[in-house]
Amino acid sequence: MVLVATEPIKSQSKTVCVIGAGPSGLVSARELKREGHKVVVMEQNDDVGGQWLYQPNVEEEDPLGKTKALKIHSSVYSSLRLDSPREVMGFSDFPFTTKKERDTRRFPGHEELWLYLKDFCQVFGLREMIRFNVRVEFVGMVNDDDDDDMKRWMVKSVEKKSGEVMEEVFDAVVVATGHYSCPRLPSIKGMDVWKRKQLHSHVYRVPDPFRDEVVVVVGCSMSGQDLSIELVKVANEVHLSAKSLDISSGLSKIISKHQNFHLHPQIESLEEDGRVIFADGSCVVADTILYCTGYWYKYPFLESKGRVEVDDNRVGPLFEHTFSPWLSPSLSFVGIPRKLIGFPFFESQAKWIAKLLSGKTCLPSFDQMMQSISDFYSSREANGIPKRNTHDICDFNYSDKYADYIGFPHLEEWRKELCKSAIVNSLENLETYRDSWDNDDLLQQTLQDPYFTQLSTP
C-alpha cells in the first residue's frame, strides 16, 4: 500500500523533551538539534549510555523486579560482549572503530560500546542538552483537543538527589527509554511457594554467588545461553530449561562438553521442598532459579488517555512502531523495534521525527496510518507471530522501507552480510564465534568502504 502524506507545514523550531540518554535518545537529540529544535534530554542516571551504562551494584533491587519503580536500569552483566560485530553497529556518520588502549576486539565488551556512546556525545556536543539524575514522573497532554494537530505536553520530573520537582511544557516529547529493564516473568505453578533463591537476569552480574550451586536457568535466548555457559564453570550443575529442545548445534556442542550442563523442557511446577519438576516428568533439587525470560515494554509516566497502551507487550497502536495516529507528530517513540541492526535504525527514526517536527515532511492521514497498523497486525497474526513479539522485526528490508520515508540511505550490503555471517557462525560455533570467523575477505573489503576510510565530521 502506498501511503500519501498530507502537505507539510511551514518550517519551525519546537521545544522537545527527549526521555533517556541511551543510544536512541542520544541520536534523537542530535537529529533534533540539527533541525534547529530546542532540546532537553532527561536522563535518570548520572551519565549517558542507557542500557550500556554498567551498574554493578544491584543489592537494592528486587531480585525479580516486582517493585513498582526499579532502581536499576541496566541489565548488562559483567562479562557481556556484543553479539554483532562492531563494524555493523555504528551510526551512519560515526563508525564504531577501534581505538588504542581500548577494547579492540570485533565483538567487544559492553564498556567499549558505552565509551563509543560517550565519544558520540562529545563529538556532537550533546552533553550540554542533558539533565542527569532526573527521573520523569509524568507526561500528559496540555491541550487534549482532537482538532489540534500539534498537541503540547506537560512533563513533570524529579531531581533525584535534591527531590526538586519541575513541571515544564514542551511542544513535543520523544520517548527513548529502552526496553531491557522491566523483567518479564513466566507464570509457573509454585513460584510463590518455592522458598529458595529466585532472580531475573536483570540483576545478574557475575557468576561467583552461584559457586557450587545447582542452578536452573529458564529461557534459551542469547542471555540464557551466555549465562549458562558462564555458570557451568563455577556451579555444581546447570540445568537449562527451554521452550523447545530443538537447539542450535553450537549450544549442543557446549552441553556435550560439560557433564554438569543439562537441557530440559519447560518447567511444570516448583515444589516447596526445592524440587523443580519439568514437563517430561524429570526433576532436580535446585538452589537457584535464574529467569532469562525477557522484558516488558513499560511507560509508567505516560498519560495518553488510552491512545497508547501496552497489551501483551505490544505498544500501540503505533504507525511504524513510532507514532500514535492520534498524537503524532508531537509524541513519538524511538528504539521500540527489536531484532534488527539497531543504531542505524534508531537514527532513521530520529531523522524522521526531527523533520516532521520542523515541517519538512509529513505523515499520512489518520485513516491511512490506522489501516497500515491494522494490515501489519493482520500479517503478523497470519504468520503465527504472537502479539508479545509484535516488535521483533527480523527483517533487514524493514529498515530500508523505513528509510524511504525520509530519503535516508538503505543499509549497506556489507552491513547486512556481516550481520548474517555472525548469526550463522553463532548458531554453529556458539562458544567461539566472537573470536573466530571465516569471512575475513568480506571484512577486509568492508573496511575499505568510504564509511571507514573517509570519516564524516559533525
Side-chain angles (χ1 to χ4, degrees):
M1 180 178 70
V2 177
L3 299 181
V4 180
T6 53
E7 287 297 315
I9 58 176
K10 183 179 178 182
S11 179
Q12 52 188 301
S13 173
K14 299 289 191 344
T15 57
V16 186
C17 176
V18 176
I19 306 175
S24 54
L26 290 176
V27 75
S28 296
R30 185 187 72 166
E31 296 305 324
L32 290 162
K33 177 184 177 183
R34 283 178 164 176
E35 278 295 316
H37 300 296
K38 299 179 180 67
V39 184
V40 172
V41 181
M42 297 190 185
E43 167 53 50
Q44 63 182 335
N45 286 317
D46 59 5
D47 208 340
V48 301
Q51 192 62 223
W52 299 102
L53 177 61
Y54 180 57
Q55 296 175 285
N57 302 316
V58 295
E59 292 79 12
E60 294 184 7
E61 188 71 281
D62 182 273
L64 294 174
K66 288 186 174 181
T67 53
K68 185 177 179 181
L70 293 171
K71 297 178 180 178
I72 303 296
H73 178 73
S74 176
S75 298
V76 165
Y77 42 93
S78 177
S79 66
L80 185 142
R81 290 175 64 184
L82 304 189
D83 56 14
S84 296
R86 69 190 309 142
E87 300 86 26
V88 312
M89 296 284 291
F91 294 116
S92 69
D93 56 358
F94 197 70
F96 186 16
T97 52
T98 58
K99 294 201 170 185
K100 289 182 179 180
E101 299 181 7
R102 293 215 324 219
D103 188 345
T104 59
R105 294 174 294 180
R106 283 193 71 208
F107 295 78
H110 56 82
E111 184 181 17
E112 182 66 14
L113 186 54
W114 174 64
L115 291 171
Y116 166 82
L117 292 170
K118 284 175 70 76
D119 291 342
F120 179 80
C121 188
Q122 179 182 1
V123 167
F124 293 101
L126 306 180
R127 203 170 185 92
E128 63 196 32
M129 296 186 283
I130 304 172
R131 297 180 192 166
F132 293 106
N133 296 304
V134 170
R135 185 176 63 249
V136 173
E137 299 275 296
F138 174 82
V139 174
M141 289 166 277
V142 173
N143 50 333
D144 187 13
D145 182 349
D146 288 338
D147 295 327
D148 188 350
D149 288 335
M150 197 66 197
K151 300 181 186 302
R152 304 189 79 211
W153 296 86
M154 167 67 74
V155 177
K156 178 181 175 181
S157 62
V158 178
E159 211 291 328
K160 288 168 66 176
K161 293 181 179 177
S162 68
E164 180 185 358
V165 177
M166 290 189 68
E167 293 187 353
E168 301 163 272
V169 175
F170 293 89
D171 295 320
V173 172
V174 177
V175 180
T177 51
H179 48 75
Y180 291 112
S181 293
C182 183
R184 186 171 73 185
L185 294 169
S187 178
I188 299 174
K189 180 184 175 184
M191 275 182 76
D192 293 338
V193 299
W194 202 80
K195 299 302 182 184
R196 302 189 181 194
K197 189 163 56 176
Q198 298 185 70
L199 70 155
H200 190 276
S201 57
H202 172 62
V203 296
Y204 177 99
R205 291 299 181 266
V206 294
D208 294 354
F210 309 94
R211 186 171 298 279
D212 299 326
E213 289 191 351
V214 175
V215 181
V216 173
V217 177
V218 182
C220 200
S221 63
M222 209 50 157
S223 62
Q225 295 179 40
D226 265 1
L227 298 188
S228 294
I229 293 167
E230 179 166 271
L231 286 167
V232 80
K233 298 169 185 174
V234 300
N236 189 24
E237 298 173 14
V238 173
H239 298 264
L240 176 59
S241 169
K243 284 183 179 178
S244 170
L245 300 185
D246 183 16
I247 59 173
S248 71
S249 59
L251 179 58
S252 183
K253 288 176 189 175
I254 297 172
I255 292 174
S256 67
K257 282 174 55 178
H258 298 276
Q259 290 187 340
N260 63 334
F261 195 173
H262 310 278
L263 181 67
H264 298 270
Q266 288 184 283
I267 296 173
E268 184 71 29
S269 66
L270 304 178
E271 305 297 325
E272 286 189 68
D273 61 5
R275 283 179 299 150
V276 177
I277 301 176
F278 300 98
D280 62 358
S282 64
C283 73
V284 62
V285 176
D287 299 296
T288 295
I289 300 175
L290 173 61
Y291 296 100
C292 300
T293 47
Y295 297 86
W296 295 112
Y297 291 93
K298 213 165 190 181
Y299 308 99
F301 52 81
L302 181 61
E303 175 50 74
S304 68
K305 306 271 180 85
R307 276 108 159 176
V308 178
E309 295 185 325
V310 182
D311 177 19
D312 193 14
N313 235 22
R314 170 186 284 173
V315 186
L318 294 180
F319 177 60
E320 302 292 12
H321 308 270
T322 308
F323 301 103
S324 161
W326 287 279
L327 304 174
S328 60
S330 66
L331 177 69
S332 56
F333 296 79
V334 178
I336 284 180
R338 301 178 297 203
K339 298 190 177 179
L340 41 63
I341 301 178
F343 286 20
F345 183 80
F346 304 157
E347 186 178 357
S348 64
Q349 284 187 292
K351 286 180 182 292
W352 193 10
I353 293 164
K355 290 181 184 298
L356 278 165
L357 292 176
S358 63
K360 290 183 179 178
T361 188
C362 45
L363 289 166
S365 69
F366 175 88
D367 289 341
Q368 286 177 311
M369 287 192 282
M370 289 301 289
Q371 185 61 52
S372 174
I373 295 167
S374 177
D375 291 345
F376 174 69
Y377 289 170
S378 296
S379 71
R380 302 291 274 184
E381 187 175 345
N383 289 324
I385 298 171
K387 182 186 286 189
R388 65 179 180 274
N389 295 338
T390 293
H391 305 296
D392 291 357
I393 304 301
C394 306
D395 183 3
F396 291 131
N397 293 328
Y398 181 72
S399 296
D400 293 344
K401 172 196 169 188
Y402 200 98
D404 288 341
Y405 282 110
I406 52 162
F408 190 63
H410 286 189
L411 280 175
E412 304 93 335
E413 285 304 312
W414 56 258
R415 216 184 275 253
K416 298 176 185 178
E417 290 304 315
L418 286 177
C419 190
K420 288 178 189 174
S421 177
I423 293 171
V424 170
N425 194 13
S426 71
L427 293 174
E428 187 64 31
N429 304 294
L430 180 60
E431 199 164 22
T432 60
Y433 80 96
R434 292 181 176 95
D435 296 304
S436 179
W437 48 87
D438 58 5
N439 61 347
D440 269 330
D441 289 346
L442 174 60
L443 176 59
Q444 293 310 313
Q445 184 179 342
T446 294
L447 295 176
Q448 298 309 308
D449 188 275
Y451 175 70
F452 295 99
T453 59
Q454 301 172 21
L455 302 186
S456 301
T457 55

